[in-house]
Amino acid sequence: MAHECDDCGESFDTLTRFRLHDCSDVQSETSSTSSDSNRPDPGDSSPTEERNASVAELDNLLDRFSDGDKDALHYAVVEFESALSAALDEDNSGDTYRDVFWPYHDRVSNALDEAARSAGWTFLKDVINAHDPTEDDEIPLVTPTVANAVGRHLIRTRLTDGVSAIPVAGLEYLDAIAVNASDTADTAREEVHAYGWGIGHPDHSIANRLHVRASEDIFSVNPTLEHAFYADQYAAVDLLEELVRDESIDGTLPRVTRDDMPYRRYLLDCVYGLQTDDHWPGMPRYYDWHEEFDYTFELDETVEQRIRELVEETGFDADLPDDWTFRDLGV
């Protein structure tokens, strides 16, 4: 699939080349870095040379962002994509890719979060528009990192301004990743769990979308529902009841020493930590939202009773002790 620049008309075979091209019609001083002119032509360089050049430029752009050049971060995300692409070309084992991805996943997601906190949602909106997970056969390689920052923004917005203030575009972005990411894109699929913080949004039905995805995407739906309980336990328990009672969700998880576990039973794992003070959802990475907001969670007694009645009604208490707790529902 070719990608054509609307400004200069040049066509590119890949999204990465399209994002990296130097469009003379729209190029700003910010994107004209000194190292661009010294970079080897991608057609004449090896994947290792491309990766090294991209990593060096990524470091430069992140340093410029730290020095106050916010626009440099847009180009840093593009450069990160280029470095990851070159790493994949260089090493089929994935080791080189991981060596690039994990250190910069942390740095770039933190930088994106910092930019969003100072410049607002519009900054992240520009980033997600430039790295659309629905535009090509495979989602962009930077998707987990962008999703991490979007997830942080959604949580922070909900806790400070309420659910209605969450940008619909952010919810649609995380949902699009869950729908379009392949089963092997584990990190991207993990970073979308903060989608649950949009439960109850007046203009985007988290409940409907999770219900549609439950049979095919249970490993994403379950932790997303866990997040939803911390956002709004009453809306979340409504959805949990709806899902667990829906017998059309008929998938099962294989277990070595016991019968296969029905998806509907697995969904109950989402309440595992609700009655404890030492367990919090682990996504987005590098962000302890409960510490930032000194967040406390107290499970309402009526919600607890509804969950207990749901477990008994569906017969999923058959293999539980008589005095079972929510931790016994964990998988």
Side-chain angles (χ1 to χ4, degrees):
M1 176 181 176
H3 304 274
E4 184 173 302
C5 176
D6 292 336
D7 296 295
C8 68
E10 189 172 355
S11 183
F12 303 87
D13 291 334
T14 68
L15 280 172
T16 296
R17 297 298 171 218
F18 173 53
R19 293 175 184 133
L20 283 173
H21 86 287
D22 181 0
C23 179
S24 58
D25 290 347
V26 297
Q27 187 81 348
S28 70
E29 290 184 6
T30 301
S31 62
S32 300
T33 61
S34 59
S35 60
D36 285 342
S37 60
N38 297 323
R39 174 174 303 192
D41 188 309
D44 299 331
S45 58
S46 70
T48 300
E49 291 171 328
E50 284 193 58
R51 174 178 60 84
N52 289 339
S54 288
V55 168
E57 181 58 11
L58 177 54
D59 282 327
N60 173 49
L61 289 164
L62 289 173
D63 287 343
R64 287 173 51 187
F65 170 74
S66 296
D67 291 337
D69 183 357
K70 289 185 173 57
D71 288 336
L73 186 54
H74 285 288
Y75 298 97
V77 177
V78 171
E79 208 64 61
F80 188 24
E81 173 94 3
S82 181
L84 293 171
S85 179
L88 284 178
D89 290 341
E90 178 182 350
D91 177 11
N92 290 332
S93 74
D95 289 343
T96 303
Y97 176 87
R98 287 186 286 272
D99 288 345
V100 174
F101 177 80
W102 285 111
Y104 287 98
H105 181 43
D106 185 356
R107 291 183 63 189
V108 177
S109 61
N110 284 332
L112 286 170
D113 184 48
E114 180 183 338
R117 288 161 67 180
S118 61
W121 168 248
T122 55
F123 187 94
L124 284 181
K125 185 177 181 180
D126 288 342
V127 174
I128 66 175
N129 287 341
H131 303 275
D132 187 343
T134 68
E135 191 171 330
D136 210 355
D137 293 337
E138 296 185 359
I139 63 173
L141 298 173
V142 295
T143 297
T145 306
V146 178
N148 178 289
V150 171
R152 298 192 209 192
H153 183 81
L154 299 190
I155 294 172
R156 190 177 290 115
T157 299
R158 173 114 195 195
L159 290 175
T160 56
D161 300 315
V163 62
S164 298
I166 293 177
V168 171
L171 296 171
E172 290 176 342
Y173 175 74
L174 295 185
D175 186 49
I177 295 169
V179 170
N180 289 279
S182 69
D183 291 340
T184 59
D186 294 338
T187 308
R189 297 177 64 78
E190 290 168 351
E191 293 289 7
V192 305
H193 297 167
Y195 180 66
W197 284 82
I199 195 165
H201 197 287
D203 301 314
H204 181 96
S205 178
I206 300 290
N208 288 349
R209 307 241 181 158
L210 290 183
H211 203 151
V212 167
R213 288 203 268 119
S215 292
E216 303 299 328
D217 194 20
I218 196 68
F219 292 111
S220 175
V221 169
N222 186 52
T224 300
L225 186 53
E226 179 186 14
H227 273 272
F229 267 96
Y230 291 92
D232 183 341
Q233 60 181 303
Y234 307 102
V237 76
D238 286 345
L239 178 55
L240 179 63
E241 289 174 336
E242 179 183 329
L243 293 174
V244 173
R245 287 171 176 154
D246 185 353
E247 295 184 1
S248 70
I249 303 173
D250 58 358
T252 58
L253 305 178
R255 293 190 287 185
V256 176
T257 59
R258 304 167 67 183
D259 292 339
D260 292 349
M261 174 177 285
Y263 279 179
R264 295 185 301 123
R265 166 63 179 86
Y266 173 60
L267 284 165
L268 295 169
D269 175 79
C270 75
V271 306
Y272 172 87
L274 296 183
Q275 291 181 307
T276 69
D277 296 325
D278 60 352
H279 177 85
W280 300 95
M283 301 295 159
R285 287 177 173 86
Y286 322 121
Y287 179 45
D288 294 324
W289 49 269
H290 54 283
E291 292 185 5
E292 177 181 331
F293 291 94
D294 195 20
Y295 183 91
T296 58
F297 178 83
E298 183 175 348
L299 185 67
D300 188 281
E301 290 182 1
T302 61
V303 174
E304 177 184 356
Q305 187 59 32
R306 287 172 64 180
I307 295 170
R308 288 186 170 277
E309 290 174 356
L310 178 65
V311 174
E312 294 167 4
E313 168 196 328
T314 53
F316 290 139
D317 60 338
D319 59 351
L320 298 176
D322 291 339
D323 57 348
W324 62 270
T325 68
F326 281 10
R327 289 222 162 181
D328 292 311
L329 295 172
V331 177

